[in-house]
Amino acid sequence: MNILTILIVITSLVTDTAQTDLSISGSFGQGTQVIEGRQNGGFEVNARSVYDINAVSRVFGEASYTWQDCKETRWVDNADYRQTAPYWTVDTIGGNARREIYYFRGGYRMLKNHVLWSAALQFRAEQSYRMRDPRAKNKVSDLRIEATIGYQWKRYALSLMAYGGRYKQNNEIRFYSELGETTIYHMANDEEPYARFSNNNKISYYSGYRAGVGVQLIPTTGFIAGVQYDWFSFTKELSINTQVPITALKTHTLSAQFGYIATRWRVLGTAGIELKRGQQYLYGENANNYYHLLLIADNYSRNSVLANLYGDYRLFLPIGDLLFAGRVDYDQFMQHVRESVQVRYTFPIKNRYSWFVAPKACLDQYDHAHSWQVVLQTGVTF
């Protein structure tokens, strides 16, 4: 969940009314980035609900299943390659990759005597794999617990947010062909592999933790502002009879949030700086499958800018309404700009039930390359 998505989620504690959305969407895209694949498509089933128990209590939740098929992926064999960069497991052959993502988020919010607080649990499980050699298989477990507390007066609420989480990824590569195996590399930085442990080490493990704090000024209508600090850390280990750590990474992100919320429209944005600091574990001779640790050396440092801008406008029609939305994401680390536009038409069916359809188009730009994706979502809301 990126910073802008977190901001949208937090504003829903104050601004959204009770509503349930059930939807299914399909996507298709083509591009030039071998990490993501030359072509990708898939579908997602999603359920999202905000329910007011009474005048002071609210529960909220979201669950989704996503399936993706990516053609001609190459080089990086990990899931979550943006988070684990630059300490990837890689090969030079690649192949078609499939991903399955299970996501859940749920929580409780109370607003009483001007005091606003909430607690939420979020969990993501992912499995990605290839059906031909080298057959990478990744399993991700990402758990997060968050809480907010604040004070609301008139149309503003000042809220303090904190969260913590656990991250795990198992990465295993197998070969079944009789023609032999290709070399598997474990990167030590952006350009060079860890030569000692590359070749036949096919099982790796990422063990990480995350935490963050933030302060936000949230309106029902009006200006929104805030600051947030996020910390993510992991160690990459190889399974060589015992677990042998080879690299470790700490990522610090400091960001500011801003925007304005009106009755029919809103503009939300974030801007921040990300600091990645990496270390390499250096070992002496191997004796009886024991690696003697000599030192842990700082070997990677990179700073990059992240920014997002989102806006939407609701137009009420004689029958139903239209929501126009646009978003721009900038990631200096990946040298990536994503631009997306979406139109959502909601049509009343019966009583409080409505049907909606929402086409979306995305353009991704990487230096001199680009890719595109189209998404069509439909569902019911009540």
Side-chain angles (χ1 to χ4, degrees), residues 2-14 105 116 118 144 146-153 155-163 212-220 223-230 253-259 261 268-270:
N2 62 42
I3 297 171
L4 182 58
T5 305
I6 293 173
L7 182 62
I8 294 173
V9 168
I10 291 175
T11 58
S12 69
L13 299 179
V14 176
R105 183 177 186 273
L116 170 73
S118 70
R144 168 175 163 154
E146 65 183 58
T148 66
I149 186 168
Y151 185 82
Q152 184 173 20
W153 73 102
R155 58 192 179 96
Y156 280 95
L158 183 64
S159 181
L160 173 65
M161 182 269 291
Y163 74 86
V213 293
V215 178
Q216 286 88 20
L217 180 66
I218 310 168
T220 52
F223 290 98
I224 185 170
V227 292
Q228 185 169 321
Y229 167 74
D230 298 271
T253 306
L254 182 63
S255 63
Q257 298 92 46
F258 55 90
I261 297 176
L268 303 172
T270 68

Side-chain angles (χ1 to χ4, degrees), residues 108-128:
Y108 174 82
R109 185 224 69 174
M110 175 176 282
L111 174 59
K112 188 175 183 179
N113 297 326
H114 300 285
V115 177
L116 170 73
W117 67 269
S118 70
L121 176 70
Q122 177 180 302
F123 179 72
R124 175 177 63 95
E126 179 175 336
Q127 177 176 259
S128 58

Side-chain angles (χ1 to χ4, degrees), residues 81-96:
Y81 62 85
R82 175 61 176 81
Q83 290 188 77
T84 56
Y87 299 136
W88 293 325
T89 302
V90 305
D91 75 88
T92 58
I93 297 178
N96 299 343

Side-chain angles (χ1 to χ4, degrees), residues 288-359:
N288 297 322
N289 293 320
Y290 174 76
Y291 289 84
H292 178 66
L293 179 63
L294 298 179
L295 61 94
I296 302 176
D298 296 332
N299 80 324
Y300 184 79
S301 177
R302 184 168 176 179
N303 302 335
S304 56
V305 174
L306 298 168
N308 318 88
L309 184 63
Y310 170 86
D312 61 38
Y313 175 77
R314 187 178 300 275
L315 176 65
F316 293 99
L317 302 175
I319 300 177
D321 65 82
L322 280 170
L323 179 70
F324 301 92
R327 176 168 175 166
V328 178
D329 297 90
Y330 172 70
D331 185 346
Q332 185 184 23
F333 179 82
M334 299 298 293
Q335 299 179 345
H336 174 215
V337 177
R338 162 166 276 207
E339 301 162 348
S340 63
V341 292
Q342 184 178 40
V343 178
R344 171 168 162 159
Y345 175 59
T346 304
F347 181 88
I349 302 175
K350 186 179 181 181
N351 297 331
R352 60 192 183 93
Y353 289 85
S354 299
W355 164 78
F356 67 87
V357 60

Side-chain angles (χ1 to χ4, degrees), residues 118-311:
S118 70
L121 176 70
Q122 177 180 302
F123 179 72
R124 175 177 63 95
E126 179 175 336
Q127 177 176 259
S128 58
Y129 54 92
R130 282 204 296 258
M131 304 298 291
R132 75 172 208 188
D133 293 357
R135 306 189 185 198
K137 186 175 183 180
N138 302 284
K139 292 184 178 180
V140 173
S141 175
D142 192 355
L143 177 66
R144 168 175 163 154
I145 300 173
E146 65 183 58
T148 66
I149 186 168
Y151 185 82
Q152 184 173 20
W153 73 102
K154 296 182 179 179
R155 58 192 179 96
Y156 280 95
L158 183 64
S159 181
L160 173 65
M161 182 269 291
Y163 74 86
R166 183 79 165 95
Y167 179 86
K168 297 180 182 180
Q169 181 180 162
N170 292 296
N171 177 230
E172 182 177 355
I173 301 176
R174 294 183 179 181
F175 293 86
Y176 292 95
S177 174
E178 297 178 355
L179 300 178
E181 301 181 359
T182 186
T183 300
I184 303 301
Y185 300 95
H186 299 279
M187 303 302 292
N189 53 49
D190 280 334
E191 300 177 350
E192 299 176 337
Y194 199 145
R196 178 172 184 177
F197 293 106
S198 295
N199 195 10
N200 293 321
N201 293 301
K202 306 181 189 70
I203 302 176
S204 58
Y205 174 65
Y206 294 80
S207 176
Y209 297 89
R210 65 174 80 248
V213 293
V215 178
Q216 286 88 20
L217 180 66
I218 310 168
T220 52
T221 57
F223 290 98
I224 185 170
V227 292
Q228 185 169 321
Y229 167 74
D230 298 271
W231 171 84
F232 177 63
S233 174
F234 72 82
T235 300
K236 179 178 180 179
E237 303 173 351
L238 298 181
S239 296
I240 314 172
N241 295 321
T242 58
Q243 296 295 109
V244 179
I246 59 170
T247 51
L249 183 72
K250 290 181 174 62
T251 303
H252 308 269
T253 306
L254 182 63
S255 63
Q257 298 92 46
F258 55 90
Y260 189 89
I261 297 176
T263 304
R264 292 192 178 189
W265 59 273
R266 59 180 174 173
V267 175
L268 303 172
T270 68
I273 183 169
E274 178 187 72
L275 293 77
K276 282 179 173 274
R277 300 292 183 264
Q279 297 177 315
Q280 183 177 359
Y281 290 69
L282 302 176
Y283 293 92
E285 295 296 325
N286 174 18
N288 297 322
N289 293 320
Y290 174 76
Y291 289 84
H292 178 66
L293 179 63
L294 298 179
L295 61 94
I296 302 176
D298 296 332
N299 80 324
Y300 184 79
S301 177
R302 184 168 176 179
N303 302 335
S304 56
V305 174
L306 298 168
N308 318 88
L309 184 63
Y310 170 86

